[in-house]
Amino acid sequence: MSIYVGNLSYYVTEQDLNTAFAEYGTIKKVSLPTDRGTGRKRGFGFVEMGDEAEEAKAIEELDGAEWMGRTLKVNKAKPRENRGGGGNRW
């Protein structure tokens, strides 16, 4: 399971997220997706923690919290949708 972290500053680093979530348990992985065209961060990220209890505690404590001047949106990440891609253009 992963945690979705939204409404992040574009200046947040993986290390910043790691530090913020480490208080709640073991961090397995942190990722900050970037825009393919510009390479700029997209304002959200994902955190994987050691177990579900740690993730639940982090979600409970950080959802709605103010961090780096922004109100965080933190919840369980939803599975990625298959958007089909490519498609025909008429």
Side-chain angles (χ1 to χ4, degrees):
M1 182 177 87
S2 271
I3 298 172
Y4 166 84
V5 186
N7 199 31
L8 293 173
S9 163
Y10 294 113
Y11 302 105
V12 168
T13 66
E14 289 182 4
Q15 183 59 47
D16 291 333
L17 269 183
N18 201 328
T19 300
F21 279 79
E23 180 178 335
Y24 302 99
T26 304
I27 307 299
K28 288 184 174 180
K29 182 179 177 182
V30 173
S31 64
L32 290 168
T34 55
D35 182 88
R36 288 184 193 142
T38 65
R40 187 173 144 179
K41 293 176 188 145
R42 297 177 63 194
F44 64 90
F46 298 95
V47 177
E48 289 182 28
M49 298 187 72
D51 63 43
E52 288 191 35
E54 293 173 349
E55 290 179 348
K57 180 70 171 168
I59 291 168
E60 179 183 324
E61 295 287 326
L62 295 174
D63 186 38
E66 187 167 323
W67 186 60
M68 297 181 83
R70 300 190 144 219
T71 303
L72 296 179
K73 175 68 176 162
V74 182
N75 54 39
K76 288 185 181 186
K78 297 177 183 166
R80 189 175 188 159
E81 289 182 9
N82 182 2
R83 293 192 249 168
N88 292 334
R89 296 204 173 177
W90 302 88

